[in-house]
Amino acid sequence: MAYEISPRLQALRERLATYLNDELIPLERSANYGYEDIFPREVVRAVWQRSRALGLYGLQLPPELGGAGLPVSELCVLKDDAAASGAILFPHVLGDWGGPSRIGNLVKYATPYQAERYILPVVRGEKGACFAMTEPASGSDAASIQTRAVRDGDAFIVSGRKHYISASAFADFAVTICVTTPGCGTDGISALLIDLDQPGVTLSYDCVPMTGQHVDADITFDNVRVPAANLIGAEGRGFKIAMDRISVNRLLHCPTMIGLARQAYRMALDYAHKRQQFGGPISRFQAIQHMLADMATSLYACESMVTAAARAVDAGQDVRVEASMCKLFVSEKCFEIADKAMQIHGNVGVTRNHPVEFIFRRLRLYRIVTGTSEIQRNTIAKAILN
């Protein structure tokens, strides 16, 4: 591994592993959970609550909010471990789907009212949050957002549609990016906290991704009245808030990809030792050995990149370019690892809902979400050509 493990981090890793291996995975097996199941909110929240009780939920948050102030570099290691565990519900353990990961960077903007009503309930595992920016006609081009929020006294009237919003299936409210001053470009975009049980808010679950997981929804706002007190930061600063979140969020997707790829690699390595063909294990064939060597090398390269970028975040540096480099490289290399793992497994690996087959599908998705590979290349090229 390229990661550096401090005694504190090692203790957290052991606590996480104990929960995953001794509690969560046995629970999933006894309940016969599958990758494509629809999980009731009570099941998800039970994971949130148990994780919080174990001191694993929202570790990246400051101590005053119940976190451990865990640096990004150490959070990356835990995210890798969780994803590599094979647990189906692993994204809920560290708060990735609906939990503190969705609201972490809002802490510095939140008013006391917003902290009490929205931030702290998420920290406590009592409420879920999602980040609603993408729209049907506004994906990679985030500045072309059409959702409008019109000031009406002490409120905003919000209308528009958000598309493919991650973790919305588990959310109670959405951090919603919308236009408050048309014609001002990104300076006219603001961020509002909108309760999803408000009149005029509708969620539709037709956008099931290729993974078959029921995590995302489209959110329609039809003249929804939102208190002006729910404005995050200053009016017209929503785009900056969103971009601040996206750079680190892109980076934090990477250890999840690495963990999934690591699981596929481990399974391929084990299968190569056990699978017998032509009088012995297939691990003795040079073709198999070379695939495994490439997979191990790619994992090391991905770990090294992410570790370097995460340390830069911890040092307070702007990592927009480095985050794009990591997202680009890790998403493509980890998908290659899954592809090789599938090849090594043969017909077993292409069987629907086999772990390697599911990881293959899931890692393919990561080359799209949080900015496509092409958008990452644009960001990198702009930086190196200026």
Side-chain angles (χ1 to χ4, degrees), residues 32-98:
N32 200 30
Y33 289 158
Y35 296 115
E36 300 181 14
D37 287 350
I38 298 175
F39 296 106
R41 288 197 177 194
E42 57 267 25
V43 170
V44 168
R45 294 192 183 199
V47 176
W48 295 352
Q49 295 287 333
R50 181 59 178 150
S51 181
R52 176 169 169 75
L54 292 169
L56 297 169
Y57 200 65
L59 285 165
Q60 70 273 35
L61 295 173
E64 57 268 26
L65 288 177
L70 198 72
V72 172
S73 55
E74 295 190 353
L75 179 62
C76 285
V77 179
L78 296 177
K79 285 172 67 69
D80 183 334
D81 286 349
S85 70
I88 292 170
L89 292 169
F90 81 83
H92 292 291
V93 176
L94 298 175
D96 290 343
W97 280 353

Side-chain angles (χ1 to χ4, degrees), residues 70-134:
L70 198 72
V72 172
S73 55
E74 295 190 353
L75 179 62
C76 285
V77 179
L78 296 177
K79 285 172 67 69
D80 183 334
D81 286 349
S85 70
I88 292 170
L89 292 169
F90 81 83
H92 292 291
V93 176
L94 298 175
D96 290 343
W97 280 353
S101 295
R102 300 284 156 180
I103 50 89
N105 76 317
L106 299 182
V107 172
K108 58 186 176 183
Y109 302 104
T111 64
Y113 156 76
Q114 292 169 354
E116 184 63 31
R117 180 175 173 86
Y118 296 101
I119 305 299
L120 291 176
V122 171
V123 171
R124 294 191 295 260
E126 298 165 358
K127 283 187 176 182
C130 63
F131 187 83
M133 183 165 72
T134 302

Side-chain angles (χ1 to χ4, degrees), residues 15 36 38 69 88 106 111 114 125 140 155 172 195 199 202 216 248 252 261 315 331 344-345 356 363 367 379:
R15 192 187 314 162
E36 300 181 14
I38 298 175
I88 292 170
L106 299 182
T111 64
Q114 292 169 354
S140 297
D172 296 279
D195 294 295
T202 305
D216 315 297
V248 176
L252 286 174
S331 65
I344 290 170
H345 277 80
V356 168
L363 286 172
R367 289 164 60 193
T379 299

